[in-house]
Structures are given as structure tokens and as C-alpha cells.
Amino acid sequence: MPLALLRVLPFLAWLPKVTRDNLRVDAVAGLTVALVAIPQSLAYAQLAGLPPYYGLYAALMPTIFGALFGSSAQLSTGPVALTSLLTAASIAPLAAAGSDQYVAYAISVALLSGLFQLSFGLMRLGVLMNLLSHPVLMGFVNAAAILITLSQVPALFGVAAPAKGHALMDTWHVLVHAAESHGYSVLFGVVAIALLVAFRRYAPRLPGVLITVALLTATSYLLDYAGNGGRIVGSIPGGLPALALPAFSLDAWIELLPASFVISVISFMEAMSSAKIAAIKTATKWDENQELIGQGLAKIAAAISQTMPVSGSFSRSALNLAAGARTGISAIVAALCVLLTLLFFTPLLKYLPLPVLAAIIVMALTNLINLRSLRNAWRASRDDAIAAGLTFVATIAFAPQIQNGIFAGILVSLGLFIYRRMRPNIAIVEPASAQLAREIPDDVPQALRAAVGVIRFDASLVFVNVSYFEGAVLQLERRHPDLRFVLVSASSINDLDASGVEMLASLCDGLRKNGITLTFSGVKPRVRLVLDRTGLTERIGGENFFLSDYAAFVALAERAETPRDASPHADAG
């Protein structure tokens, strides 16, 4: 099948795998995922600040489009906790949660973030996702997980939050007024968490989320939880969502652009991690650019079906993988189960207590929190640890506008990266030192040992660090007035730009005037090509280039006995 056609219609690659056995396995996997996705979707819509049934809309068309146009057969697309929180954080300052204006903004965010991802995929810019480093992402995700947990405290306690604008303040208010908690709400929340933990630990193969929801919804109806002051999901409109493009509002869209960009990046990183794991475990390929297209179209489908942004779900994708899904048909089966729920079973969800949805959200956070990654970042690199730590603090501090936390993390990460490239590792091996003695042949005269200084530079020689390199050479010259040769051990220099060429030319001329010869060893072919094309090889002198440090010392042994004025190119410049 032509690759161009598969790029436009990637689901055609399923055709050779569509057998009776595979269809049976995919159907079972899809049903298994749907049993988890339906209650989770209700919970994540609540987290996004929308009526719960919007979560069912988000688990329908977006799931199908994500499967049809993505590259991973096991990735389950739909509502997820992190994207829901980002949606709420981006819209909360603009409109009241649950209002018509709020819903319109959520739909606009879905469209804008989808257009971002679709554009990145079509332009094959998936590699740009690497600008968001793993430590920064982990700092953001761990902070977001804390904020998600805190945002559910009012629902678990049955206390109305004061909406002071920050999760820490709202949570403190609830704790201070804990005596006003609604007893039934606390009971439903505690029982829900206990059941979810028990199912996860002792019966992981059972649909614990669905069973918990069914049991506690029935209990809510029997105890007249709503009549006793409890908050329930309430009536859910039957039927399918209306299909329409979101209303255009230039001012609102401009204001939502930064948040939409962050959602497009963060949600894809979450989807990408799931797709990578599935690709490794199934020994199949996946295409990050095609996945960007699939996820972008899924978000656009969410906007057209009048619902919130979606992403690839880590937990449901893992469940899909564990159930043995072999093609995207499993996702389509899961979507059909959601369709049947919307058409026939929404009345059964009316008495579902909101504290139960809050408990589902809190339990889902165990897949997001990964404090070990922060510890590993500290062990691997102080720069990574600083970037992760500052992202974590900034995300908490900027709440509810947590997208500013990720912007801060990216800026800090890139700033530290540039700073380290400006001051890379450089080793100055001074004349006659024990370290130098280990690098040269035993029969080289002591006079040569005292006349040569070696510079090892572990980076490309480019505009951001040329002054640092030049300063190290000049420092070596100032310390040792009797220096005759500066040997640049260049085996670690992978690239040389125009700034590096100009600096070396100036440095060569300056050293030569002081009777010092600039020499090089182990120059890589790519760097040597730049030196040759710019005429710098001739300016430095072809006799001053050597294959290795050893060869350099052997060749320089004879020169060390000649006076400074007799050295090659002594009068050049």
C-alpha cells in the first residue's frame, strides 16, 4: 500500500490484521476500556468545570478520530485528568464554571489546541516536543497532581469552595470549616476511595471503577442522598451532542491562545508516553508526527461535537494494551459503548454522587505522581533538578493559571542549557605537570614538557562559547611566560561556526606575535573541512595539525630546541 495513502488514511494499515480472532480480542479490549472510560469521563468533565455529561461527549467522536488517524493501535483517546485541569485553569479567570460562556470557551480551547497539534503534525514538527524536557514535565505533572487533589477536597467534604482563586486557599477554607462538612458526602467519598483501592489491589482484572459507581449510585438512590442535601450528577440530556463549529470570538481566541498552546504540548507529551510504551511492548513502530495529526483531529472533533479538549489516556491505554488490543478497532468499540450509554442508559447515572466522581479523580492521580523522577533528575544533573524544582514551585504559585508554570519551566530549562553551552567543560593541562606527563612519550625532553600547554574543549566551538575558549587560552599564556606551544586537543570538538573561525584566526595571530604557536591534534573531518574552506588551515600552518596528542609531542620535540624567532610563520600576520 502506498506510503502517501497510509499517511492520509493510516487506519488502512489495519486491514491485514482484521481477522475473526483479532476482532474478538479487540471487541473485548474495547468493552473493557469502556467500562472504565464511562465513569472516568464523567469525573474528568467535572474536573474541567463542565457538567459531567460533557465527558461522555468527549469519549465518543474524539476517541474514534484519535484511533483512525493516529499511529498507535493501543492509544485510548478521550478525557484525561491533566488536560481537564489545564482546561479549567485556562478558562476559570474568564467565565464562571458551568456557565454557557465557560462551555463556549472550553470548546474553543479544544479547537485551538487541536489546530496547533494538527499544524505541528502536518509540518512534521514533532521533534519540537523535545523542547519540553522530561524533568520540566515531571515537575509540572507532580505539581498539577497536587492541585487536582486539592481541587477535589470541597466535593469530598460536601462543602462549597469559596473560589478565592487558589487551590491552597480554597482547601484551607474547607479544612477550617470541616465541622460544616456534609456527613453523607464524606461517607460516599471515603467508601468510594476504599472500594477503588480494594479493587486495584485485590481484583485488578475487574472493572472496579464501574462497579464502585454502580453500587454507590444505587445506594444514593435508596438513601435519597440528593434529598438529604447531597450533590448528584442530575439529569443527563439523552441523545447525541449537536455538531457545530464553536462561535468565533477574536478577543477570546487571542486570550486563549497561550493556554491552548500549552494544552497542545502537554497533552501530546502525555499521549506520546503511552504510545511509546505500547510501541515497545508490541514491537511496533509509531510516528510522532502522525500521532500529532491524530490527536489534533481528535481535539477538533471534540470542538465540533461541542465538548472539551481530549488527549491520550495513560491508564486506559495501559488497560487497552493489557487486554490485548491489536488494532484501533478496540477504541471504536469503546466509543460505541459510550454511544449506547448516551442513547439508552443516561437515566441510570442521574443519582451518581459527585463525591464519588471526586474519588475517581483522586485515585487516578496515582498514575501521574512520580516523585522518583524528580530524585533521579537531582542525581543526574543539578540543572535538571533546578528546572524541575522551579517548574514545580511556579506551577503551584501561579495556580489556577498553571500554564504559566510550564512556560517558566521551559524558559529556565533553555536558559540553563544555553548557559552550560556558553561554559562547557574545559581542561587546561599546564606545562610540566604530572597530568601532562602521562599524555606524552617518555623520551620527550623535559624542555618540551615545560613549553607546551594543552587545552581540551568538550563542546562544539560556536558563537556562544568562543569567548570562553579564548579566555582559557589567554589565561594559560599569562600564567606561563615561557610557553612555546598551545596544543588544542580537538577530538571533542564536533562543529565550528563563523564566530569560532574568526576567534581562532585572531588568537593564532596574537599568540604568534608573542612567539607562541597554536597547534591542533585529533581534528575531526567536519571541523577540518571548515578550517580548509575558510583558509584558516593555511593561516595556522598545515604543519601545526596532528592526528593525535602523541603525534603532536613527537613532532614538536624538535621544534622546542629552536629559538622562538626560527619557529614557522614567526613573521606572519
Side-chain angles (χ1 to χ4, degrees):
M1 192 171 296
L3 291 178
L5 183 61
L6 286 178
R7 178 165 170 75
V8 177
L9 304 172
F11 55 86
L12 293 178
W14 304 349
L15 294 179
K17 300 179 181 179
V18 178
T19 63
R20 179 177 297 181
D21 183 55
N22 285 354
L23 285 175
R24 179 184 58 80
V25 172
D26 284 341
V28 172
L31 178 62
T32 304
V33 170
L35 295 178
V36 174
I38 291 170
Q40 273 191 351
S41 298
L42 297 168
Y44 294 152
Q46 176 180 304
L47 177 59
L50 296 167
Y53 62 86
Y54 277 85
L56 295 177
Y57 296 165
L60 185 56
M61 280 182 54
T63 300
I64 295 173
F65 274 79
L68 289 176
F69 295 98
S71 66
S72 174
Q74 290 77 29
L75 186 64
S76 176
T77 302
V80 297
L82 190 54
T83 300
S84 299
L85 178 66
L86 282 166
T87 301
S90 62
I91 305 172
L94 305 176
S99 66
D100 290 343
Q101 190 65 57
Y102 189 98
V103 173
Y105 285 157
I107 295 170
S108 296
V109 169
L111 178 63
L112 293 173
S113 58
L115 289 174
F116 271 123
Q117 288 188 330
L118 180 61
S119 301
F120 293 155
L122 291 175
M123 292 187 290
R124 307 195 66 78
L125 297 179
V127 67
L128 292 182
M129 297 299 113
N130 294 327
L131 290 176
L132 181 61
S133 68
H134 184 73
V136 169
L137 180 63
M138 287 298 100
F140 176 78
V141 166
N142 281 281
I146 292 174
L147 293 172
I148 293 172
T149 302
L150 296 179
S151 71
Q152 300 309 302
V153 170
L156 290 171
F157 277 75
V159 177
K164 293 184 178 179
H166 198 290
L168 295 177
M169 297 174 63
D170 292 350
T171 303
W172 178 251
H173 172 87
V174 172
L175 295 177
V176 168
H177 296 84
E180 303 173 11
S181 300
H182 185 251
Y184 275 133
S185 296
V186 175
L187 181 62
F188 270 100
V190 170
V191 171
I193 290 176
L195 287 173
L196 292 171
V197 169
F199 276 115
R200 178 177 295 183
R201 180 171 298 179
Y202 302 111
R205 293 185 176 276
L206 294 178
V209 177
L210 185 66
I211 294 174
T212 299
V213 166
L215 288 175
L216 294 183
T217 300
T219 305
S220 167
Y221 174 76
L222 294 174
L223 295 178
D224 192 18
Y225 171 71
N228 286 286
R231 298 175 61 203
I232 60 175
V233 168
S235 298
I236 297 177
L240 303 179
L243 303 182
L245 286 172
F248 175 74
S249 172
L250 181 61
D251 293 339
W253 283 21
I254 291 175
E255 199 161 4
L256 292 171
L257 273 178
S260 300
F261 175 79
V262 170
I263 288 174
S264 70
V265 173
I266 298 296
S267 64
F268 183 68
M269 294 295 289
E270 188 174 12
M272 185 170 66
S273 64
S274 301
K276 280 183 176 179
I277 291 173
I280 292 172
K281 291 190 175 181
T282 58
T284 57
K285 291 183 179 180
W286 81 285
D287 184 339
E288 60 185 8
N289 293 304
Q290 187 62 51
E291 202 60 61
L292 272 169
I293 293 173
Q295 291 295 302
L297 289 174
K299 286 181 174 63
I300 294 172
I304 293 175
S305 55
Q306 305 295 292
T307 189
M308 61 189 195
V310 296
S311 182
S313 167
F314 185 86
S315 59
R316 297 195 299 274
S317 298
L319 182 60
N320 204 24
L321 180 64
R326 297 171 186 175
T327 71
I329 292 175
S330 62
I332 295 176
V333 170
L336 290 176
C337 292
V338 174
L339 174 64
L340 293 175
T341 301
L342 281 169
L343 292 176
F344 304 110
F345 302 121
T346 51
L348 300 178
L349 300 171
K350 177 179 179 179
Y351 296 97
L352 173 58
L354 294 188
V356 176
L357 295 183
I360 293 172
I361 293 171
V362 171
M363 289 304 299
L365 298 179
T366 55
N367 292 324
L368 293 179
I369 298 176
N370 185 4
L371 297 179
R372 182 180 297 178
S373 65
L374 300 181
R375 183 185 63 187
N376 291 339
W378 176 261
R379 290 176 174 175
S381 167
R382 295 297 182 264
D383 286 356
D384 286 342
I386 291 171
L390 287 177
T391 303
F392 181 91
V393 172
T395 302
I396 297 290
F398 281 120
Q401 296 180 337
I402 59 175
Q403 62 271 17
N404 292 335
I406 202 71
F407 283 134
I410 291 175
L411 289 175
V412 169
S413 180
L414 291 177
L416 290 171
F417 174 82
I418 293 173
Y419 177 76
R420 290 306 174 195
R421 293 306 176 272
M422 291 174 66
R423 300 177 65 85
N425 180 54
I426 185 169
I428 303 175
V429 186
E430 300 188 357
S433 69
Q435 185 178 2
L436 177 61
R438 291 196 301 270
E439 303 294 332
I440 61 179
D442 294 334
D443 57 349
V444 168
Q446 185 64 30
L448 178 60
R449 299 174 186 269
V452 179
V454 180
I455 297 286
R456 288 190 176 85
F457 194 68
D458 294 336
S460 295
L461 198 51
V462 292
F463 70 101
V464 295
N465 56 36
V466 291
S467 60
Y468 185 57
F469 176 88
E470 184 178 28
V473 175
L474 296 179
Q475 179 184 5
L476 180 63
E477 179 190 15
R478 285 192 300 269
R479 285 184 180 178
H480 304 281
D482 296 330
L483 199 66
R484 295 285 307 280
F485 302 98
V486 171
L487 175 62
V488 180
S489 186
S491 58
S492 297
I493 300 177
N494 296 316
D495 199 6
L496 180 67
D497 69 358
S499 298
V501 169
E502 291 300 320
M503 181 275 297
L504 289 177
S506 175
L507 186 63
C508 174
D509 293 345
L511 290 175
R512 186 174 290 144
K513 289 178 181 177
N514 295 328
I516 300 173
T517 302
L518 183 64
T519 63
F520 293 82
S521 64
V523 177
K524 291 187 174 179
R526 179 174 179 175
V527 176
R528 185 60 183 265
L529 181 61
V530 175
L531 294 172
D532 292 342
R533 285 191 310 210
T534 58
L536 193 54
T537 300
E538 183 178 356
R539 191 165 183 172
I540 293 172
E543 70 279 2
N544 293 321
F545 289 87
F546 308 98
L547 292 177
S548 65
D549 293 352
Y550 186 96
F553 281 109
V554 170
L556 293 176
E558 299 179 3
R559 297 197 208 173
E561 300 177 3
T562 63
R564 284 178 183 260
D565 342 33
S567 61
H569 300 278
D571 298 326

